[in-house]
Amino acid sequence: MMLCLMVIISMASFTLAVPKEKLVVKRTGCGGSFYINEGEQKIITSPNYPSNYDNNLNCPWIVSTSPGNTLDVNAVDFNIENLVDMLIIHDGTEAVQWTGNSLPPSYTSVSNELIFIFRTDSMNNYKGFKLIITVSGGSEKGDPHMTTFDGRRYSFQGQCWYTFFKDCSAHPDFEVISKFGPRDDIKNKTRTVSFKVTVGDQYVIVNGRDVATGSKNNGHVYSPFIHVQENNDLITLAFTSKYTTFTLEWTPRKHMLKASFSGTDYNGKLCGLMGNADGDTRNDLQTPDGFEVKDVTAFGESWKVKGEVCD
C-alpha cells in the first residue's frame, strides 16, 4: 500500500509541474496573434465554443491594428464561471476583467493593440464566449478619426464646433454638434473635447466630465427628452425622435464620442460629419447645400457651426 501511494503522489507532482502554457498550446482556438485591417473583423471564441471550454486554461490572444487606430470589442455571447474563470483584457497600462454570465459592455481600446488572456480553474466549465473585434467605427476619436453611419472612414483635423449629425428634414427636431481642440501630445492633430445635444427646446452640454442641462425657453427641464446616464468613465445620452432612438457614448479620458441609432425614420435624412445614413458610403461627403465633395477638409469645414466661439 505504501508503494502504491508513493507512485500516485509522484505522478500527480509531475503533472502539476508542467506549465499551463504547455498544457494548452495545442488546444484548438486557444490563443493566437492577429492583425485587423480597417473594414475587417476578428472573431475570438473560447476553446470548444459553443460547447463547454476545458479546465486549467491559460489562453493568450494578441490583436492589433495600425498605429493611430483603436479596437472595438463586442461580446455577443458570454457565459463563464463567475469570479473564478476570467477573461482579462490588457490595454497598454490598463486591464479589464470580464466574468459571469451577463454580456459585458462594449470596450474600445486606448491603444492599437489588445492582449486577451482567458484563465479557468480545475472545477466547473461553461459555454464560454464569442467576441467580435473591429477597428473602431461609428465614432469620432482622438485624432479625430471619423466613421460615418454608413461606414465611411476619414480623418478631419478641424479646430472648432462642427455639426456631428442632425435632422435634415424641413422641420428639424434635433442636432448634435461637437468641438474639436488641439492635442497636447501630437502637433497638428485634434481631438474631441466637448459636444452639445439639442432636442426641441432642451439641450445637454458635455464638456469633459461636466454635464449641464437646460432649456432654450427658461433654462429648466421638467420632462427631459434627453436621458443622461453617468457610469464611471462613460457618459451615455439617449433621445428618441419619431420611432428612432439615438445613443451617444462619451468616454472623456479617451476623448471618444460614439454615435448609433435604432430605427429607420431617419435613413437618408441625416446630415453632418456622420453622413446621411442612407446605406451608401459613396455619398457621405455632402456639404450643407447637398453638393458631394472629395476633399475631406472642404467637407469638414462646410459643417463648421456658425455663431459658436472657436478657441
Side-chain angles (χ1 to χ4, degrees), residues 145-156:
H145 294 295
M146 301 288 299
T147 303
T148 66
F149 286 123
D150 292 329
R152 179 164 181 167
R153 295 182 58 81
Y154 66 93
S155 182
F156 172 61

Side-chain angles (χ1 to χ4, degrees), residues 19-263:
K20 286 185 176 181
E21 286 77 4
K22 292 184 178 180
L23 285 174
V24 302
V25 70
K26 294 183 180 180
R27 298 179 188 273
T28 301
C30 186
S33 181
F34 309 97
Y35 183 89
I36 305 179
N37 292 307
E38 295 182 9
E40 298 178 346
Q41 68 176 24
K42 174 62 185 174
I43 296 177
I44 291 180
T45 62
S46 51
N48 305 326
Y49 179 89
S51 299
N52 288 8
Y53 53 77
D54 299 317
N55 295 326
N56 301 316
L57 293 175
N58 187 25
C59 302
W61 292 269
I62 300 175
V63 182
S64 61
T65 186
S66 58
N69 283 339
T70 55
L71 297 164
D72 282 339
V73 183
N74 290 281
V76 295
D77 197 3
F78 200 89
N79 186 8
I80 67 177
E81 187 178 8
N82 191 37
L83 301 178
V84 180
D85 299 337
M86 198 79 61
L87 178 64
I88 306 169
I89 306 175
H90 292 277
D91 183 8
T93 59
E94 300 182 358
V96 178
Q97 296 182 347
W98 288 354
T99 189
N101 60 5
S102 298
L103 282 179
S106 60
Y107 181 81
T108 301
S109 68
V110 176
S111 62
N112 68 315
E113 180 179 274
L114 292 175
I115 300 175
F116 301 82
I117 300 178
F118 181 43
R119 293 174 178 164
T120 67
D121 68 352
S122 59
M123 299 291 289
N124 302 314
N125 43 32
Y126 294 77
K127 181 180 181 182
F129 59 83
K130 179 179 180 180
L131 310 179
I132 298 178
I133 306 168
T134 58
V135 178
S136 293
S139 65
E140 48 177 271
K141 301 184 293 181
D143 280 347
H145 294 295
M146 301 288 299
T147 303
T148 66
F149 286 123
D150 292 329
R152 179 164 181 167
R153 295 182 58 81
Y154 66 93
S155 182
F156 172 61
Q157 304 300 331
Q159 295 187 33
C160 198
W161 284 91
Y162 298 89
T163 300
F164 190 31
F165 68 91
K166 69 176 183 178
D167 174 3
C168 279
S169 63
H171 303 285
D173 292 326
F174 61 85
E175 71 171 355
V176 180
I177 63 175
S178 56
K179 183 180 182 181
F180 301 156
R183 290 182 59 159
D184 299 327
D185 54 340
I186 303 178
K187 187 178 181 180
N188 298 324
K189 294 288 187 177
T190 63
R191 61 185 182 181
T192 310
V193 295
S194 182
F195 68 99
K196 178 181 180 180
V197 180
T198 303
V199 182
D201 291 330
Q202 299 172 2
Y203 63 83
V204 175
I205 301 175
V206 180
N207 185 12
R209 299 176 185 272
D210 298 327
V211 180
T213 62
S215 171
K216 294 179 180 179
N217 293 329
N218 53 25
H220 299 287
V221 178
Y222 298 102
S223 300
F225 298 128
I226 310 167
H227 301 278
V228 181
Q229 182 177 355
E230 300 181 55
N231 183 15
N232 296 326
D233 197 42
L234 178 67
I235 299 174
T236 303
L237 279 69
F239 64 90
T240 299
S241 183
K242 297 180 180 178
Y243 295 98
T244 297
T245 298
F246 293 86
T247 303
L248 294 105
E249 295 180 327
W250 169 241
T251 309
R253 178 176 54 84
K254 301 178 183 179
H255 292 268
M256 181 178 294
L257 178 62
K258 298 181 67 175
S260 61
F261 66 92
S262 176

